[in-house]
Amino acid sequence: MRENEKVLREKIKEFGQKLGFEVEEEWTPEGLREEDRREVYIPKIDVVWYKRADPRFVNFLIIVNEKMKKKVNLNEKENLEILPKYKDINKDIVIGFELELSDRPSKYILGDIANLSRMCDYGFIVIRDVENLVKRSIKASRAFSILHGASNVFVISPEELEEIMDTLGEYDENEKTD
């Protein structure tokens, strides 16, 4: 990982914490961690901001799921596919960030869009604006939305993201002093 990516990751993590989120790097949903990487593609999101789910809610989901399995005679290992493996019932993944700071083909970006839109409430692809990468990525996000429904994925350059975080950080500091 290059130094500029490390710095940006740290800023994203700090800003998420400032906004009241818990933060995790290289996040994979709990349900997919047990899969064999040789058999299944296991996506990772570079940085996620999340809220921890109430343990009572998690237990509620697990109990209801188990009751449904019993009603249709499924054993413990068989899945109803009601609790998707790409979600983490212990964490409400609100925002995910994919940092693409080198040239990426549009097909690669579509993979990021698919992962972010399925596993996070909102996604951000942070991509350098060289050779129209931002514009190509926005087009890819629009195509995904047309084909699969709203992607909830935003595309932004690292410079724009840092500018926004700095501006909002300054705004928060001014609010405290007023």
Side-chain angles (χ1 to χ4, degrees):
M1 184 182 325
R2 289 181 281 160
E3 189 60 33
N4 60 341
E5 184 175 339
K6 284 181 187 177
V7 169
L8 184 58
R9 272 181 189 254
E10 285 306 311
K11 282 186 174 183
I12 290 169
K13 288 167 37 182
E14 287 173 16
F15 194 68
Q17 290 167 339
K18 191 180 220 181
L19 295 177
F21 292 101
E22 292 188 52
V23 176
E24 191 172 321
E25 283 186 274
E26 299 299 322
W27 175 78
T28 296
E30 194 68 40
L32 291 177
R33 291 179 189 167
E34 59 204 36
E35 296 291 330
D36 184 351
R37 286 193 178 276
R38 294 172 296 189
E39 302 292 325
V40 178
Y41 166 71
I42 311 295
K44 285 185 180 184
I45 305 293
D46 290 338
V47 178
V48 293
W49 296 351
Y50 66 93
K51 299 284 185 177
R52 209 161 280 286
D54 185 319
R56 296 169 298 179
F57 171 70
V58 173
N59 286 333
F60 173 76
L61 286 177
I62 291 169
I63 291 167
V64 170
N65 194 54
E66 290 304 313
K67 287 185 177 297
M68 289 177 62
K69 282 182 178 182
K70 286 179 184 172
K71 287 180 180 167
V72 291
N73 297 320
L74 293 178
N75 68 39
E76 199 174 295
K77 291 189 178 193
E78 290 180 288
N79 196 350
L80 281 176
E81 299 298 330
I82 291 174
L83 296 176
K85 288 185 172 195
Y86 59 84
K87 290 283 188 178
D88 193 334
I89 63 172
N90 295 298
K91 298 173 183 173
D92 180 16
I93 306 299
V94 179
I95 299 174
F97 292 88
E98 285 291 358
L99 305 178
E100 302 298 352
L101 303 180
S102 59
D103 190 11
R104 293 283 187 241
S106 296
K107 286 183 181 183
Y108 190 90
I109 299 303
L110 277 169
D112 285 345
I113 293 166
N115 291 341
L116 288 167
S117 68
R118 197 69 166 156
M119 298 189 311
C120 308
D121 292 343
Y122 299 97
F124 289 84
I125 296 177
V126 182
I127 193 163
R128 287 186 31 223
D129 199 10
V130 293
E131 296 188 26
N132 284 330
L133 275 175
V134 169
K135 191 172 184 177
R136 282 184 9 225
S137 299
I138 291 169
K139 285 181 177 182
S141 184
R142 288 185 65 217
F144 183 93
S145 294
I146 291 166
L147 295 170
H148 305 289
S151 73
N152 298 331
V153 174
F154 301 91
V155 179
I156 190 167
S157 73
E159 297 80 18
E160 292 169 318
L161 179 60
E162 288 191 64
E163 178 185 319
I164 292 167
M165 290 189 300
D166 290 345
T167 300
L168 292 175
E170 289 170 13
Y171 173 78
D172 287 345
E173 292 304 316
N174 290 336
E175 287 288 309
K176 290 179 187 173
T177 59
D178 289 344

